[in-house]
Amino acid sequence: MAKITLNHITKVEGHANLSVEIKNNKLVRCELGSIEGTRFFEGIVVGRRYDEIKEITSRICGICSVSHSMTSLKATEKAFDVKVTKQTEILRELMSIGERIRSHATHLYFLVLPDYLGFESAIPMAKQYQKEVFRALDLVKIGNEIVLKTGGRQMHPISCVVGGFTSVPSKEDCDYLLSELKKSRKKAFDTLELFCKLKYPKVELDMEQISLKPETSQPMLKGAIVSNKGLNVSENKYSDFIDEKIESYSTAKFAVKNGKSYLLGALSRVGNNFECFAVDIKKVISKYKFIFPSKNIFNQNVAQAAELVYWLDEAISILENNEFELQKLVFVSVKAGTGRAATEAPRGILFHEYSFDDSGNVTHCNIMTPTCQNLRGMEEYVHAFIELLLKKKVKKKEIILEIEKLIRAYDPCFSCSTHFLQVDWLQK
Amino acid sequence: MTKPKVAIHSITGCAGCQLTIYFVKDLLLKLLEKIDLVAAPMLKEKNNAGPYDVCFMEGLVASKDDLEHLKKIREQSKILVALGTCATHGNVPGIKNSYSDSTVVESRVYKNLNLKEQIMPLKPAPIDAHVKVDYYISGCPPEEKEILKFITDLLLGKKPVIYDEPVCVECSLKENDCLLERGEECLGPMIRGGCDALCPSVNHGCTGCHGPLSDANILQGIKLLEQNGVDIKLIKKRFHKYSYDKFSELEEQAKKIKRKD
């Protein structure tokens, strides 16, 4: 019996732990959990007034703070029957696009690409692949600039509040963003080509793939909850079929649907909404013989790259067709009630639910992040992949590298629920 | 000159402070010319142990695992910088400390809190509650210009000085309308600036994410907000949001001084 502990699987967001036990070349145990310290967000917002809840829950995650903000505002407004203006909806979508662009660009280029090009990180990679690294930094920058100009800050946006915006981007801001976005379009396309050209392993599981589905576009802030297995319900109904389980090895809870794991994120979104892509995106995807829907988790990288192009185009279209003016915030008349909201964060559906008392203070809060919902499925994919690799008699060291690639393809965000993934490897 | 060995480590938090560094092309590239980034687990696969000349520590202490990691890093770092409001002030997770019984908060999230010892919750605390900190760069997230200035000072061999003026100074320089004068809620007078009055500049009151000034006049701050019709209980909650422990301490001091007067 040998116990092997591998510390610090890196280049993921947050802190996590993977524990693996192998007996007679067979995998007998595989546990993946978050070891991020507990922060009790759902507990600390209780008793606090509606107008600071978005500000607090935004702090759950730096990389997806816009998503947390948008979902929080949407749930709060639903509880009070606040109807925001069309302009507010558009600006919120634009801000979310900014986050989607920077999140995907960061993930693809800095966390994923070094594995495939044989570098420990993007820093040494930059010497040989300067063009690619600069492209990544440019894409991250345009994403950041969008969030900054619409939200007042690159992270934890400020100006979006319950009922609208305290400030809106100026004409100059919009012109600047538009011209930068147009320059970035080729970079996004080059990204899609690059990630289509990489050689990915094939690990397929027949997992239910869930995403939002608006009628005519890829999903962001609205749409019914649908799946490749016939699910089609409104966001208000999520708690009817999703349960959260606690395991002693993880501070993040595990969400399951009717006892089973499911998959959220770009792979599910693209699979469920493929027809909404523009012809030129579909062309690149088919040129490299990728087919969506796909059960191979590694194709998530391609799905993210396709989304990058799609959302960049959407941002251009928003800016070409809108001018923004400062509007009065919609009056909030507080009352006791509950609001539930679902949006597509970069990593999948994010749920926020709040109940308020009649003075507008939170009495109950439930937040389900995409990573919590993906954790059980990620465990199952890791399990399947290790078995596949053991069958092929792959050496332990390589197995670990391959598992890391798989986990990165999942794009977990363990703050939301890993700066380190510690692997305990127990071989009997 | 050999490049200083710099590390970016983290404990419990949102990774936003690190991202502030990684997100900014100009800043990142400038930095990498001048420093040797020997450890940054979110970005790199190869992460060296210390000794580090400078280590930026992001996050707050919320578990035994955090505490052990923090202590190990402190031992390996000549200069330890608390980066961001989690590390400097405990940030919003510190709201939990406003409850005399922490299980009240915990039970709202986990019905039975039965986790392995390493990840069981500890009292949320800024890192200086457990180790010596050499410099503090607060902010949620911290300002890139403050991080850049700090590193520039170190590289030039100057002792870094962290800005310690209220938000109002930069706000006045930008000729923003004063939100307090307009009868709104703004914590600017008590809060450390360095952010170019970010929030008031987008027509939103300062909510205190940099934490209080070292000598914040709490009683005057409360008075200003009361004059604007904000309920005293709400004022305290707003103050405590990002820095429960520090504000409580300042409040106690202020009360003592008042009694002496």
Side-chain angles (χ1 to χ4, degrees):
Chain A
M1 189 176 100
K3 188 180 172 183
I4 297 142
T5 306
L6 185 99
N7 281 320
H8 302 194
I9 291 189
T10 50
K11 294 182 281 172
V12 287
E13 202 287 311
H15 307 87
N17 208 332
L18 177 69
S19 192
V20 173
E21 201 176 320
I22 293 165
K23 219 172 176 176
N24 303 326
N25 216 36
K26 283 234 164 67
L27 183 66
V28 294
R29 187 172 56 89
C30 167
E31 290 172 351
L32 176 69
S34 167
I35 52 162
E36 192 76 35
T38 44
R39 292 178 292 165
F40 301 100
F41 278 97
E42 293 146 304
I44 59 177
V45 295
V46 171
R48 302 192 75 100
R49 208 167 78 168
Y50 74 93
D51 58 357
E52 61 178 7
I53 304 307
K54 162 229 126 188
E55 184 193 336
I56 296 173
T57 53
S58 167
R59 266 68 190 186
I60 291 173
C61 179
I63 201 157
C64 38
S65 54
V66 173
S67 299
H68 279 287
S69 298
M70 296 303 116
T71 319
S72 180
L73 292 174
K74 194 177 160 194
T76 305
E77 287 161 357
K78 276 176 82 174
F80 301 134
D81 290 323
V82 171
K83 297 265 175 297
V84 295
T85 63
K86 187 79 195 154
Q87 174 180 293
T88 295
E89 283 183 358
I90 294 169
L91 276 171
R92 285 180 183 176
E93 174 147 321
L94 183 59
M95 199 193 311
S96 306
I97 295 175
E99 177 172 88
R100 184 71 60 87
I101 293 173
R102 75 167 177 215
S103 178
H104 281 2
T106 305
H107 174 247
L108 290 171
Y109 281 96
F110 297 125
L111 310 184
V112 172
L113 192 59
D115 284 346
Y116 293 86
L117 299 183
F119 292 92
E120 67 94 13
S121 77
I123 300 169
M125 189 173 84
K127 291 196 184 89
Q128 205 176 324
Y129 292 92
Q130 198 189 46
K131 192 177 75 195
E132 283 77 7
V133 170
F134 271 71
R135 188 197 293 149
L137 288 165
D138 285 341
L139 287 165
V140 169
K141 189 173 177 187
I142 183 66
N144 272 334
E145 292 282 311
I146 295 175
V147 179
L148 175 68
K149 303 292 186 202
T150 52
R153 181 161 57 192
Q154 292 181 355
M155 212 175 288
H156 306 312
I158 307 151
S159 56
C160 46
V161 297
V162 179
F165 278 81
T166 61
S167 140
V168 296
S170 65
K171 179 85 177 63
E172 292 75 38
D173 290 339
C174 292
D175 290 345
Y176 161 76
L177 290 176
L178 189 57
S179 85
E180 290 297 312
L181 279 160
K182 285 183 174 165
K183 281 189 252 169
S184 302
R185 195 169 189 276
K186 183 172 181 316
K187 292 172 187 158
F189 247 101
D190 290 346
T191 305
L192 179 57
E193 292 256 353
L194 172 65
F195 282 86
C196 280
K197 282 182 195 153
L198 299 179
K199 290 266 169 288
Y200 300 108
K202 190 168 166 185
V203 193
E204 296 188 323
L205 286 180
D206 187 25
M207 209 176 273
E208 184 161 6
Q209 300 188 346
I210 304 180
S211 75
L212 296 184
K213 188 175 176 73
E215 269 154 29
T216 53
S217 64
Q218 290 286 342
M220 187 66 88
L221 298 176
K222 50 189 174 192
I225 305 171
V226 304
S227 79
N228 58 340
K229 304 212 183 271
L231 180 74
N232 190 337
V233 293
S234 101
E235 61 187 354
N236 298 327
K237 300 272 183 197
Y238 80 94
S239 54
D240 293 358
F241 57 87
I242 298 174
D243 284 322
E244 286 186 303
K245 302 233 178 300
I246 297 172
E247 302 281 2
S248 66
Y249 55 85
S250 173
T251 51
K253 297 176 185 176
F254 291 77
V256 285
K257 175 178 175 279
N258 303 326
K260 282 184 168 168
S261 59
Y262 54 96
L263 178 73
L264 301 180
L267 192 65
S268 299
R269 286 194 294 259
V270 167
N272 293 338
N273 297 277
F274 190 74
E275 71 282 3
C276 299
F277 276 139
V279 177
D280 50 359
I281 298 177
K282 286 180 180 163
K283 245 189 204 160
V284 180
I285 290 174
S286 68
K287 182 171 112 189
Y288 292 97
K289 303 196 167 43
F290 285 93
I291 296 167
F292 293 101
S294 163
K295 293 173 187 170
N296 183 4
I297 190 64
F298 284 96
N299 289 348
Q300 172 130 285
N301 295 326
V302 175
Q304 282 195 350
E307 283 193 327
L308 195 66
V309 183
Y310 176 88
W311 287 112
L312 209 114
D313 283 347
E314 286 297 304
I316 291 173
S317 156
I318 288 176
L319 287 161
E320 281 179 338
N321 294 305
N322 290 281
E323 273 180 35
F324 305 111
E325 55 174 20
L326 189 61
Q327 298 175 331
K328 237 180 129 187
L329 297 177
V330 176
F331 179 74
V332 179
S333 162
V334 297
K335 58 173 187 169
T338 296
R340 298 184 180 95
T343 67
E344 284 281 354
R347 288 151 194 79
I349 301 178
L350 169 64
F351 295 102
H352 279 221
E353 171 182 328
Y354 309 103
S355 297
F356 295 94
D357 64 18
D358 53 14
S359 349
N361 293 318
V362 174
T363 57
H364 160 85
C365 165
N366 186 31
I367 294 170
M368 281 208 291
T369 65
T371 297
C372 277
Q373 300 178 73
N374 271 336
L375 212 47
R376 185 62 85 205
M378 213 179 315
E379 221 175 44
E380 289 171 11
Y381 264 104
V382 171
H383 195 283
F385 197 28
I386 294 177
E387 286 191 328
L388 203 76
L389 295 166
L390 285 171
K391 249 187 230 158
K392 288 190 185 159
K393 307 243 184 299
V394 176
K395 295 253 160 46
K396 189 182 69 204
K397 201 177 158 191
E398 275 171 65
I399 291 183
I400 291 171
L401 282 175
E402 292 297 307
I403 303 171
E404 285 181 278
K405 274 189 190 167
L406 184 139
I407 291 173
R408 285 184 199 120
Y410 239 108
D411 192 11
C413 173
F414 287 105
S415 278
C416 271
S417 64
T418 302
H419 313 267
F420 304 164
L421 181 72
Q422 180 178 312
V423 180
D424 291 330
W425 185 287
L426 194 69
Q427 197 161 21
K428 286 181 185 168
Chain B
M1 196 181 92
T2 54
K3 292 181 181 178
K5 287 185 170 34
V6 177
I8 302 171
H9 278 293
S10 69
I11 47 179
T12 293
C14 85
C17 305
Q18 297 188 59
L19 282 168
T20 301
I21 303 178
Y22 307 143
F23 268 174
V24 186
K25 180 182 173 180
D26 314 323
L27 175 61
L28 184 65
L29 296 179
K30 267 187 211 159
L31 281 180
L32 291 175
E33 280 167 23
K34 306 283 182 199
I35 63 166
D36 193 2
L37 187 64
V38 290
M42 186 173 162
L43 193 67
K44 285 160 58 71
E45 180 131 18
K46 285 190 187 141
N47 296 287
N48 302 348
Y52 308 124
D53 294 313
V54 185
C55 176
F56 292 97
M57 185 51 113
E58 169 200 69
L60 71 141
V61 179
S63 70
K64 196 177 163 190
D65 204 62
D66 284 339
L67 185 56
E68 286 172 4
H69 186 55
L70 172 66
K71 284 185 172 164
K72 195 175 77 191
I73 298 294
R74 169 70 269 189
E75 282 170 14
Q76 298 173 358
S77 309
K78 282 186 204 153
I79 295 173
L80 184 72
V81 186
L83 182 67
T85 301
C86 285
T88 61
H89 292 86
N91 210 331
V92 293
I95 291 173
K96 191 177 164 210
N97 298 340
S98 66
Y99 289 79
S100 52
D101 178 5
S102 62
T103 61
V104 171
V105 180
E106 291 167 4
S107 64
R108 290 175 187 152
V109 186
Y110 299 88
K111 278 198 186 90
N112 295 302
L113 193 64
N114 181 24
L115 301 173
K116 284 182 180 171
E117 196 197 344
Q118 282 303 98
I119 51 175
M120 278 296 277
L122 279 189
K123 183 186 172 205
I127 63 175
D128 66 359
H130 296 283
V131 297
K132 180 180 166 277
V133 169
D134 301 298
Y135 293 96
Y136 299 82
I137 306 178
S138 64
C140 185
E143 299 303 317
E144 52 190 73
K145 67 166 191 177
E146 289 209 287
I147 301 171
L148 193 60
K149 181 178 176 299
F150 178 85
I151 296 177
T152 311
D153 284 350
L154 278 181
L155 288 168
L156 292 171
K158 279 172 35 185
K159 188 176 160 57
V161 179
I162 310 291
Y163 186 85
D164 195 26
E165 299 288 342
V167 173
C168 303
V169 172
E170 289 160 309
C171 202
S172 311
L173 288 170
K174 287 178 94 171
E175 299 184 358
N176 289 334
D177 268 356
C178 176
L179 291 158
L180 279 165
E181 278 173 12
R182 256 165 47 187
E184 292 180 26
E185 222 190 289
C186 180
L187 305 189
M190 276 141 305
I191 303 298
R192 187 185 81 85
C195 55
D196 279 332
L198 203 70
C199 295
S201 304
V202 291
N203 202 18
H204 190 296
C206 166
T207 61
C209 81
H210 276 214
L213 285 162
S214 50
D215 57 350
N217 186 342
I218 299 295
L219 299 177
Q220 186 61 22
I222 294 176
K223 217 165 124 187
L224 281 170
L225 290 168
E226 270 188 311
Q227 279 168 4
N228 282 0
V230 187
D231 173 74
I232 183 75
K233 274 193 193 150
L234 185 62
I235 295 174
K236 295 216 167 163
K237 278 190 182 166
R238 304 288 209 220
F239 276 1
H240 291 159
K241 198 179 330 179
Y242 292 91
S243 42
Y244 179 80
D245 295 340
K246 186 69 191 169
F247 256 119
S248 302
E249 196 185 294
L250 284 164
E251 232 177 313
E252 281 307 309
Q253 279 171 8
K255 276 185 202 152
K256 271 186 208 155
I257 293 166
K258 207 178 168 189
R259 262 179 246 136
K260 275 186 200 157
D261 292 347

